[in-house]
Amino acid sequence: MGTILIIGACGQIGTELTKKLRELYGKDNVIASDVRKGDPEFVASGPFEVVNALDFNQVEEVIEKYKVAEVYLMAALLSATAEKNPAFAWDLNMNSLFHVLNLAKAEKIKKIFWPSSIAVFGPTTPKQNTPQYTVMEPSTVYGISKQSGERWCEYYHNIYGVDVRSIRYPGLISWSTLPGGGTTDYAVDIYHKALSDGSYTCFLSEDTRLPMMYMDDAIRATIEIMQAPAENIKIRSSYNLSAMDFTPKEIAETIKQHIPDFTIAYEPDFRQKIADSWPQSIDDSHARNDWNWQHQYGLDAMTTDMLEHLSSMAE
Ligand code: VAH
């Protein structure tokens, strides 16, 4: 069967994806890699390699060393960080993808997962129940790179037969690893600050509605699309995926049900413009029809689970 390599394993998605894949396939069959060593406990939890996703030879060497069959390419600069460093964001987000696509084209690996984002949509996209196929004029470096990446994934599948699969992640919320550089990361920060300070100052306005998903659902979707029979994957650019949508005011209300004295203030910054360019809700019917996607967490269940885990970590 070959082994599995996660590139960018120390990131918000990568750490949880690594843990889940190791539960499913065995620790020694899942190789974690990142450009530098992250949390020592995580690095020590199974095979780990320092790999720069931009160095083709390093990626190829790890694939040959461990007889890798599947690659999950999770390394990227997210929306807010990418706006501060457009050239590097384009380089990392695109060239890391070309390296992995070309290794698959050369039949060095059999299957690829590559994360896209609802950031591929822009200000001219219909904001409610955004369809799989619609106007896509992303206005962020991150969104432009993800839209371009989707086009190349579909091209490599159609022209070279590469089995690459992709999901347009909404904002993702998790308790085990802090996110980095995302516009939706307020929805993680708010839980930490609610417990530590009893209050939170949000960098988006109270009525900013965005598509969101709990990490447990995102990890399950990632594995389910990779496990689906190839004939079920009818979209080879990237699938819309959704679970819920909410505003900072709405998530604050669910926190107050657990922490009655919690208060929130709003001080929008440069990330407001990014958020305003994205959809408010997503139609993911193609994923539900093609490979039986079904989310499990809504906002109330997520808040309960987040606060339980973060509280127990603090003890
Ligand atoms: C970001 N968390 O905020 C990512 C995500 C839809 C947003 O792609 O950049």
Side-chain angles (χ1 to χ4, degrees), residues 12 25 42 87 111 117 122 129 173 184-185 187 205 217:
Q12 182 194 18
Y25 298 107
F42 172 71
K111 197 186 285 188
S117 163
N129 213 25
I173 294 97
T184 58
D185 295 347
S205 63
D217 273 342

Side-chain angles (χ1 to χ4, degrees), residues 52-98:
N52 178 348
L54 285 175
D55 185 324
F56 180 85
N57 294 330
Q58 284 187 23
V59 175
E60 187 178 41
E61 279 165 22
V62 170
I63 281 168
E64 289 172 351
K65 177 179 176 182
Y66 291 94
K67 296 182 177 49
V68 172
E70 296 184 10
V71 173
Y72 291 73
L73 173 55
M74 310 309 288
L77 247 56
L78 297 184
S79 58
T81 308
E83 289 304 302
K84 297 174 184 170
N85 197 340
F88 179 61
W90 177 259
D91 184 19
L92 175 61
N93 294 5
M94 296 312 300
N95 288 315
S96 62
L97 175 60
F98 278 124

Side-chain angles (χ1 to χ4, degrees), residues 16-131:
E16 298 212 38
L17 182 60
T18 302
K19 290 171 190 168
K20 191 65 185 172
L21 287 169
R22 285 177 170 163
E23 283 174 24
L24 288 172
Y25 298 107
K27 176 170 65 73
D28 294 333
N29 293 317
V30 180
I31 294 80
S33 74
D34 212 308
V35 70
R36 64 183 65 81
K37 289 187 176 179
D39 171 65
E41 188 179 334
F42 172 71
V43 170
S45 64
F48 184 92
E49 293 283 346
V50 174
V51 173
N52 178 348
L54 285 175
D55 185 324
F56 180 85
N57 294 330
Q58 284 187 23
V59 175
E60 187 178 41
E61 279 165 22
V62 170
I63 281 168
E64 289 172 351
K65 177 179 176 182
Y66 291 94
K67 296 182 177 49
V68 172
E70 296 184 10
V71 173
Y72 291 73
L73 173 55
M74 310 309 288
L77 247 56
L78 297 184
S79 58
T81 308
E83 289 304 302
K84 297 174 184 170
N85 197 340
F88 179 61
W90 177 259
D91 184 19
L92 175 61
N93 294 5
M94 296 312 300
N95 288 315
S96 62
L97 175 60
F98 278 124
H99 291 341
V100 174
L101 287 172
N102 285 326
L103 284 163
K105 176 186 170 191
E107 299 184 1
K108 297 279 183 79
I109 53 178
K110 292 187 173 59
K111 197 186 285 188
I112 300 167
F113 176 81
W114 180 74
S116 185
S117 163
I118 58 108
V120 297
F121 300 115
T124 54
T125 302
K127 288 205 174 294
Q128 303 299 333
N129 213 25
T130 300

Side-chain angles (χ1 to χ4, degrees), residues 273-286:
K273 189 166 181 282
I274 296 173
D276 289 343
S277 74
W278 289 345
Q280 294 182 347
S281 59
I282 297 287
D283 169 6
D284 61 0
S285 53
H286 285 269

Side-chain angles (χ1 to χ4, degrees), residues 283-301:
D283 169 6
D284 61 0
S285 53
H286 285 269
R288 292 172 193 264
N289 295 335
D290 291 358
W291 42 279
N292 301 316
W293 164 244
Q294 178 57 51
H295 74 280
Q296 290 175 359
Y297 281 87
L299 179 52
D300 289 332

